[in-house]
Amino acid sequence: MSDDLFYVTTPIYYMNGAPHIGHTYTNCIADTLTRYHRLRGEDVFFLTGSDEHGEKIFETADREGCTPQQLTDRYSALFRETWAQHDIQFDRFIRTTDEDHVRAVQHFLQRVHDAGAIEFREYEGNYCVGCERFLAERDMEDGLCRDHERAPEPRSEANYFFKMSESFGWLEQYLQDHPDFIRPERYRNEVLGMLREDAGLGDLCISRPKSRLDWGIELPFDSNYVCYVWFDALVNYLSGIGWPDAPDFSARWANAEHLIGKDILKPHGVFWPIMLHTIGLEPPRHLNVHGYWNVDERKVSKSLGNMVSPAAMDEKYGFEAFRYFLSREMSWGLDANFSEETLIARINSDLANNLGNFASRTLNMTARFADAQIPNPGPGEAPEEELREAFASAAREVDEHFDAMEIHRALEAVQRAIDAGNRYLEHREPWKAAKDPDRAHQVGTTLYTACEALRIATVLLSPCIPAKCDELWSRLGQPGSLAEQRLPEAARWGGVLVGASTTKGKPLFPRIATEDA
Ligand code: MSP
């Protein structure tokens, strides 16, 4: 059933450098989204990969004294291993040099050609290799490309053009009819702005003569040319799931969620829907656009050396703590700032203090006052009812926020419920109640309630911090694995196994010492 199929994509990254905070952010969010939908019992396909053609790659290879193939082999192995090492569970790592991708791009080009949407034209203009395209006046300042701060090269060429502008009206209407196709809304508005006539977005040059660039996918209708890298790259979202032959292609495509950064909005928000429309395919369900990470309030760049490597963060703080920080700190769609101080503050407040504290208190007291077994509860009173309601509403909110692609808010909702759990323990004071003959009978109910709250928190946080949650699940002595749990049942109150043996264990997220604490 198509409702059960889900499809998550990340951009395919240029293979001219190591993975950094920007790539890591998108892949963590994509992995979290994938895990959440798997928890709901859906059949999810998660695609990531590498963008290997184009002049940028060709130039980098030249500088590094190797062939483009050697360069992309090296970096794509590095990206693939980085994700795998950090337990980012993609289903396929696609390379644009993969044979099936090359075939799909040629098929796509032929279909666009057959639809009469490609024209051969003479063109003259300022070409920026950084952008991989001819620049318009507004793309330049003082004769330099605004984005790359380098002078474009004057070029004149005969090339194939995709007659994209003929479909601007269609796209505008599509955006009116599908107001949440591009989200958050600010990016939908940006795309509407790009389509306005005075914005000057014209047709798209989709070829490069082989005499200039021999690194790319050959046009099926003219072997003197290779395909423009963006046209090639976007098709990965189709070839990655077996288009055009895979039997479940249409059902999966209907549930496609693209995740991208705001700098690549134009190709994804304008070129891509029109490319698809031209050959009779629907746009993906959502184009989810995130903002930029700055590091210590500065733009991330190779020359500043502030790229923030996932391996270094893993070594210093543990990858899941870093991943949690990225997901919680950035409001989807807006820019955010990374600094080690904010990272440490977030780990300490949310993971060490709130979650860590609740877990260790609950497990330590169950060991101490209930022989390390989850006790049978007695009838609950108002405080138990309140905590139960706090977790019921967290589960509802998590669901809504994941659907709206607001994972930061989902995490915030769970942390709020955990905070209620800590306050509940402070109110019930099982450490005192156990010694008070009038209150001793409450202790079993209190510990049951805390264990149940901890179990639900574990389920709800597992898409974001999976290994730590697996650990918590086994400390709670719950049967089976966390991966076998299914929402919504798994987050319903009352599911914890009474009598299960619990284990105390070391702090899950040790508090990180800072100079002023
Ligand atoms: N190859 C193209 C994408 C083709 S998709 C069909 C590309 N590659 S990239 O390696 O340059 O960057 C890919 C992604 O990294 C983009 O989504 C971009 O937004 C993201 N980021 C790069 N730097 C970033 C930050 N500092 N912060 C957040 N994301 C950023 O573009």
Side-chain angles (χ1 to χ4, degrees):
M1 216 177 74
S2 74
D3 269 3
D4 288 343
L5 295 184
F6 195 73
Y7 179 31
V8 180
T9 71
T10 72
I12 47 173
Y13 305 110
Y14 285 128
M15 294 294 108
N16 58 353
H20 63 58
I21 186 169
H23 315 127
T24 309
Y25 173 69
T26 321
N27 279 45
C28 286
I29 291 286
D31 187 59
T32 299
L33 188 64
T34 296
R35 288 174 188 265
Y36 188 73
H37 283 266
R38 287 195 176 132
L39 203 53
R40 278 189 188 168
E42 293 164 35
D43 170 349
V44 190
F45 195 93
F46 169 9
L47 181 72
T48 189
S50 55
D51 191 352
E52 308 194 357
H53 293 127
E55 291 182 55
K56 215 190 298 255
I57 302 293
F58 194 81
E59 277 195 348
T60 310
D62 198 43
R63 244 193 340 265
E64 298 196 8
C66 59
T67 64
Q69 190 65 56
Q70 286 166 333
L71 182 86
T72 56
D73 283 350
R74 175 151 50 89
Y75 280 121
S76 65
L78 176 65
F79 270 72
R80 175 199 280 274
E81 278 158 25
T82 300
W83 308 139
Q85 265 163 18
H86 297 125
D87 209 15
I88 307 254
Q89 295 182 339
F90 53 85
D91 293 284
R92 176 169 179 190
F93 186 99
I94 190 169
R95 302 181 58 180
T96 52
T97 47
D98 285 344
E99 225 176 273
D100 62 333
H101 173 76
V102 172
R103 257 185 285 118
V105 169
Q106 291 181 326
H107 182 69
F108 196 102
L109 281 161
Q110 191 60 53
R111 298 256 308 252
V112 177
H113 193 260
D114 294 348
I118 291 179
E119 206 170 76
F120 195 59
R121 296 181 196 155
E122 189 76 37
Y123 187 85
E124 215 168 300
N126 293 305
Y127 192 86
C128 172
V129 174
C131 298
E132 302 273 16
R133 63 183 173 90
F134 285 97
L135 300 181
E137 272 313 310
R138 69 179 175 286
D139 297 325
M140 295 190 287
E141 195 174 314
D142 299 330
L144 303 181
C145 165
R146 278 183 199 278
D147 286 345
H148 296 94
E149 292 173 12
R150 64 192 262 184
E153 298 165 21
R155 285 186 186 176
S156 151
E157 260 172 27
N159 269 308
Y160 288 91
F161 281 76
F162 172 43
K163 294 191 278 175
M164 185 168 78
S165 58
E166 286 180 354
S167 299
F168 288 170
W170 165 79
L171 181 55
E172 204 176 331
Q173 191 57 48
Y174 187 87
L175 293 173
Q176 304 297 356
D177 296 345
H178 302 83
D180 75 341
F181 162 49
I182 300 179
R183 58 186 190 181
E185 201 185 356
R186 56 170 53 216
Y187 298 110
R188 167 180 181 259
N189 295 337
E190 243 182 71
V191 169
L192 284 169
M194 292 173 195
L195 295 175
R196 278 202 314 262
E197 233 166 273
D198 57 355
L201 190 68
D203 289 336
L204 186 68
C205 175
I206 57 157
S207 64
R208 299 293 179 267
K210 277 191 185 168
S211 54
R212 170 153 70 79
L213 178 73
D214 197 12
W215 176 243
I217 298 177
E218 191 178 288
L219 298 187
F221 42 82
D222 189 338
S223 61
N224 293 315
Y225 287 86
V226 293
C227 178
Y228 167 50
V229 64
W230 265 106
F231 207 92
D232 152 3
L234 287 161
V235 175
N236 95 87
Y237 300 131
L238 302 181
S239 55
I241 50 168
W243 180 82
D245 306 318
D248 66 350
F249 167 79
S250 302
R252 200 171 288 288
W253 182 246
N255 295 297
E257 296 283 341
H258 289 342
L259 311 187
I260 62 159
K262 65 180 184 181
D263 57 319
I264 52 176
L265 179 60
K266 190 186 288 176
H268 285 85
V270 180
F271 307 174
W272 186 224
I274 296 180
M275 285 165 65
L276 290 163
H277 176 65
T278 305
I279 65 159
L281 287 175
E282 285 288 307
R285 186 166 56 192
H286 291 120
L287 183 58
N288 303 285
V289 190
H290 66 75
Y292 248 54
W293 281 98
N294 293 318
V295 171
D296 298 324
E297 312 289 349
R298 304 180 75 172
K299 219 176 146 171
V300 172
S301 80
K302 264 191 197 158
S303 53
L304 286 173
N306 61 348
M307 317 282 283
V308 185
S309 113
M313 289 295 114
D314 181 20
E315 202 166 302
K316 217 160 161 188
Y317 303 103
F319 191 76
E320 286 196 357
F322 176 56
R323 167 175 171 150
Y324 176 86
F325 165 82
L326 293 177
S327 314
R328 173 66 192 87
E329 194 74 12
M330 177 176 263
S331 298
W332 184 263
L334 302 179
D335 291 353
N337 186 53
F338 171 89
S339 71
E340 294 208 30
E341 293 81 64
T342 46
L343 170 77
I344 292 171
R346 181 62 80 183
I347 295 175
N348 282 346
S349 70
D350 286 16
L351 299 179
N353 293 352
N354 204 34
L355 172 65
N357 221 354
F358 185 56
S360 67
R361 279 163 141 185
T362 300
L363 295 168
N364 287 343
M365 287 191 292
T366 305
R368 203 154 139 217
F369 303 119
D371 292 331
Q373 288 190 334
I374 299 180
N376 245 318
E381 294 168 2
E384 283 72 33
E385 198 41 52
E386 270 172 38
L387 193 62
R388 184 185 168 130
E389 187 37 52
F391 275 85
S393 95
R396 272 194 308 272
E397 282 186 61
V398 165
D399 213 42
E400 284 164 22
H401 295 321
F402 265 94
D403 279 343
M405 199 58 224
E406 298 197 310
I407 292 176
H408 61 288
R409 296 183 68 192
L411 296 174
E412 184 194 28
V414 186
Q415 291 292 353
R416 237 185 295 121
I418 296 172
D419 182 49
N422 276 317
R423 281 185 282 112
Y424 168 77
L425 286 177
E426 272 146 37
H427 175 73
R428 284 302 195 190
E429 302 178 304
W431 52 92
K432 282 192 191 157
K435 295 174 198 145
D436 177 347
D438 292 338
R439 290 160 70 200
H441 67 281
Q442 283 177 357
V443 172
T445 304
T446 303
L447 294 177
Y448 168 89
T449 303
C451 286
E452 176 57 333
L454 183 59
R455 183 191 66 84
I456 297 176
T458 302
V459 170
L460 295 177
L461 287 176
S462 65
C464 179
I465 44 173
K468 295 290 183 183
C469 289
D470 279 342
E471 172 63 28
L472 266 178
W473 189 258
S474 69
R475 286 191 198 177
L476 278 166
Q478 294 305 293
S481 72
L482 196 41
E484 293 162 12
Q485 302 307 304
R486 287 293 166 264
L487 287 175
E489 303 78 33
R492 248 178 233 143
W493 195 269
V496 77
L497 181 69
V498 169
S501 300
T502 63
T503 317
K504 289 195 286 187
K506 289 201 201 102
L508 279 180
F509 293 98
R511 204 184 147 75
I512 301 165
T514 53
E515 272 159 27
D516 43 68

